[in-house]
Amino acid sequence: FLLSLVVALASVFLSLHLASGCVSRLFFVSHTNLLQILILAMPHTALALGIVLLLSSDGVLSRWILIIFGLPSADYLFPRDPLGLGTLMSLVIKETIFITAVGLAFAKKLPIDAMLLVGHQAGFSRKIIWRKLLWPQIRRKLQPILLIVFLFGLTNLEVAAILGPDQPQFFAVRLHRMLQDPDDLTRQAGALGSLVLLSTAILLAWIMSKMYR
């Protein structure tokens, strides 16, 4: 359970940090980024499978690197590593694009020109204006989105099943297997674990809502 919680929280904070930089750069760009649209439209499962095919020890990218640099073959445990870094990578990629897209929509509703004018009159650079005046307002509006990102990271099954480690298992994967077990006692334990997961998600979502208020 601790692994699931840490990965979910890390995905929120990393995605939000990366999205803040993306929004500040893309807001003043008139054209739409095609790569952003493609990644946003890509299902989580497809991205997870792509990471496996590219970055695993037998993946395409790994083999190219070995051939180009003449390195001996390496057998490493990624993306199904014990720390859940492969799962975290997939979540951060998808959710950064998601938060960026929503953040850009919120930013376009703000009186940007007026706030830039006030900031410049106060002697602030555009970077300081964005960080001190504009981004806090956007981040406040992103609060429900951050809760969604956190809850998905905590409870998702498909990404964790593809990229997560066998030991320790992500909590959602373990619960799913317990609920599919033919033993009645194991299924009951899985149902109780689902209630624990739901209660924890609600509690942490409430705490996060207070943090970003």
Side-chain angles (χ1 to χ4, degrees):
F1 178 76
L2 182 60
L3 177 63
S4 301
L5 181 61
V6 171
V7 169
L9 290 173
S11 69
V12 173
F13 290 116
L14 290 175
S15 300
L16 180 62
H17 179 72
L18 293 174
S20 66
C22 294
V23 172
S24 64
R25 286 165 175 78
L26 295 176
F27 179 77
F28 299 101
V29 178
S30 59
H31 65 275
T32 304
N33 193 311
L34 179 60
L35 180 60
Q36 175 188 354
I37 296 176
L38 292 177
I39 296 179
L40 184 60
M42 183 185 301
H44 282 86
T45 304
L47 179 60
L49 290 174
I51 291 176
V52 172
L53 294 175
L54 283 176
L55 301 181
S56 64
S57 58
D58 294 328
V60 176
L61 184 60
S62 301
R63 292 183 179 183
W64 284 353
I65 293 176
L66 294 178
I67 294 175
I68 292 174
F69 293 98
L71 301 175
S73 59
D75 187 15
Y76 56 85
L77 191 59
F78 187 85
R80 297 181 62 87
D81 57 287
L83 298 178
L85 297 179
T87 304
L88 179 60
M89 174 187 291
S90 177
L91 292 174
V92 168
I93 292 174
K94 278 288 293 183
E95 308 311 342
T96 297
I97 301 298
F98 175 56
I99 296 174
T100 298
V102 179
L104 285 172
F106 286 145
K108 294 183 183 299
K109 297 180 180 180
L110 295 176
I112 300 294
D113 294 335
M115 300 180 73
L116 288 175
L117 179 60
V118 172
H120 287 314
Q121 290 176 348
F124 296 143
S125 64
R126 174 175 289 188
K127 183 178 180 180
I128 298 298
I129 295 172
W130 184 270
R131 188 170 70 247
K132 298 295 185 180
L133 298 179
L134 300 177
W135 178 247
Q137 298 188 49
I138 299 173
R139 187 180 63 184
R140 194 175 300 111
K141 293 179 179 293
L142 285 173
Q143 176 181 309
I145 305 302
L146 298 179
L147 295 179
I148 293 173
V149 169
F150 167 72
L151 293 175
F152 179 81
L154 183 63
T155 61
N156 83 88
L157 179 62
E158 62 272 21
V159 177
I162 297 173
L163 299 177
D166 294 323
Q167 290 294 334
Q169 292 178 334
F170 278 94
F171 197 54
V173 175
R174 181 171 180 79
L175 290 178
H176 176 72
R177 293 179 178 177
M178 292 175 67
L179 292 171
Q180 300 297 320
D181 196 281
D183 182 64
D184 291 337
L185 185 61
T186 303
R187 289 200 304 272
Q188 293 173 9
L192 179 61
S194 300
L195 293 177
V196 172
L197 180 61
L198 176 61
S199 302
T200 304
I202 294 175
L203 175 62
L204 291 175
W206 179 79
I207 293 174
M208 290 182 64
S209 68
K210 297 298 183 181
M211 290 174 57
Y212 286 104
R213 176 167 296 180

